[in-house]
Amino acid sequence: MEQTKFFIIDFDSTFTQVEALDVLAEISLKNSENQAKAIEEIKLITDQGMEGGMSFRESLKKRVDILKAHRDHLPELVERLESLVSPSFKRNTAFITKYSTQIFIVSNGFKDFIVPIVKRFGIKEENVFGNEFIYDSNGNIVGFDEGNLLSENNGKANQIESLNLDGEVFVLGDGFTDFEIKKAGLAHKFYAFTENVRREKILNEADHEAPSLDEFLFTQNLERAHSYPKNRIKALLLENIHENAVNRLKKEGYQVEVYAGGMTEDELAKAIKDVSVLGIRSKTMVTDKVLANAKRLLAIGAFCIGTNQIDLSSALRKGIAVFNAPFSNTRSVVELALAEIIMLMRNLPDKMSMMHQGRWNKSANGSFEIRGKTLGIIGYGKIGSQLSVIAESVGLNIQYFDIEEKLALGNATSCQSIEQLLSSSDIISIHVDGREANENIISTREFELMKHGVVFINLSRGHIVDIEALASNIESGKIHGASVDVFPEEPLTNDHPFKSPLLGKRNTILTPHVGGSTLEAQENIADFVPSKIIEYINTGSTTNSVNFPNITLPGLSQAHRFIHIHKNEPGVLADINNVLAKHGINIVGQYLKTNDVIGYVITDIDKNYKEEAIKDLKRVRGTLRFRVLY
């Protein structure tokens, strides 16, 4: 027969995010000149008591003496504590309600403010054990009941022993006094709660770390708000991704590891084994070999526009969704392109270099206005079309070539062939994607077709231009000026050397892949990409995914959601529904989207079902991935 489970939960820094006496000090000492010093002293004493560096009774006496508190301060304290209940407790009220008779709040804090908080969650006053203030006739707090077990050293252990609980006892708390219950042999396991504070000494004594109540409930297989604890989702972010992305993922509860540079294929294949979310920019190659080692990977975020550095088909076959930022840095790239067009037409790179050498060369030779010149844009996508509009506004004539039919903006005209554009443009700017077919689309033959004295700009992908041919045409004078921001081979980190045949060439601007590297762009990307990944993990929505069938899903309400990713084969949906029917599961809503490779089925169901149904759904033929959300 299964034993009854009892849950011993601490209050300060566990049920709530703070130590209540610290907050009470802020209230009671708000008019004191020594408030800051007193609060700091209270916090120091609290930490010493929690980590076992000071006896608890000594810690309690010192704190109460410093407080100078009054009964009238308690209503404000309770009001503030209500807003400071730990987030994971707020979202798991169903567990608290269901097990309210088996939950005991055991705290070295004071019932005077604990009871009003926990009663709102359905926990009865008789299940709350804490100290009690002593007041004088004027309502001043002058001490505490020293006859209370919880005012003593080892008080929590003594209190639990007095309850004589017949069943399995689990302790959830952040301090040494919580560990003492397990140490005394009165609990089966002690979980160090670290959602609000992390005490290494306590972690060393704990049976398990609980970064949230979700983790505790998951290990106990109890009813919970999240099907899978978010602290178990590890995110690996490479290449100096903006701190906003790091903070956004941490706020969601993920473990986030940051790596300043890119990684080689072998390094990433090793690092990715326990990663659920991978974030990269343009240097790191996510190959089939890498993905073969990604046993837990759910999603990849490309914190840029391009995704050619990711093996999208391999990710798709493995049921891994990929997201990018298709619009977030377009303005930054366009502004750089326009600035470089003007600089190169005026021969400014050489003039600036000579000035730094102490050489004065005031001359109009080789300097031209951009007004009336023809700008040829290869690739009329998000960046190319925006450049078209802005460049036209400053007097350039615009023509473009794209392999797909694109609507011309403003007065731009479409060229019938790339050859037509190359031979008739004064300035050429390339904005194509990184697909393999685009490798060296600009090489010796294409340079020969260009006008003599053309200005050439590549801010798209390094491998689309034959760098040796470009260098040769700069030297010959065929190209008046060139700007290159992307290269066939780029250093993995800022500490690696950069080598290129373009080094030292006249009227040539070389930049370290910074076309989209403005604070505004990186902040936009850092907001956009994590939001899409989080939405996918939380709801299953694949809006803006570059490899998955795109589907926007409603939020979950009073239901569980089955996410089934499978090979796109006939009859799989019928097989899924047969399993659901076999187990008598009622479908609340169902969504299906497919592409050539996979089928994506989302089924919302009533909460009541047996675990055997999940096992059967995982066995459906062609299954690639299966998740449960609630």
Side-chain angles (χ1 to χ4, degrees), residues 89-118:
F89 276 81
K90 285 182 179 179
R91 63 176 170 260
N92 283 292
T93 53
F95 157 74
I96 298 172
T97 301
K98 183 175 181 179
Y99 292 93
S100 60
T101 59
Q102 294 158 247
I103 293 174
F104 295 86
I105 304 297
V106 181
S107 172
N108 295 121
F110 292 82
K111 291 181 67 175
D112 308 58
F113 53 74
I114 295 174
V115 171
I117 301 298
V118 301

Side-chain angles (χ1 to χ4, degrees), residues 215 226 228-236 249-250 252-257 274-278 296 298-299 533-534 537-538 627 629:
E215 172 69 15
H226 291 159
Y228 190 76
K230 293 187 178 183
N231 59 271
R232 290 189 170 219
I233 297 176
K234 180 179 177 181
L236 175 62
L249 295 175
K250 283 184 176 179
E252 189 66 15
Y254 301 171
Q255 296 181 55
V256 183
E257 182 179 341
D274 61 345
V275 170
S276 301
V277 174
L278 175 65
R296 299 181 63 180
L298 295 173
I533 290 173
I534 290 168
I537 291 175
N538 288 351
R627 290 194 294 143
L629 302 180

Side-chain angles (χ1 to χ4, degrees), residues 374-421:
T374 297
L375 168 62
I377 300 173
I378 301 176
Y380 205 64
K382 297 176 182 69
I383 293 175
S385 58
Q386 190 173 146
L387 175 60
S388 167
V389 172
I390 295 177
E392 183 179 330
S393 71
V394 294
L396 284 160
N397 300 318
I398 310 300
Q399 59 182 11
Y400 66 90
F401 173 76
D402 199 293
I403 58 174
E404 297 179 3
E405 189 73 25
K406 294 290 177 69
L407 175 67
L409 301 179
N411 295 313
T413 58
S414 174
C415 293
Q416 297 302 308
S417 67
I418 192 170
E419 289 81 6
Q420 179 188 347
L421 182 142

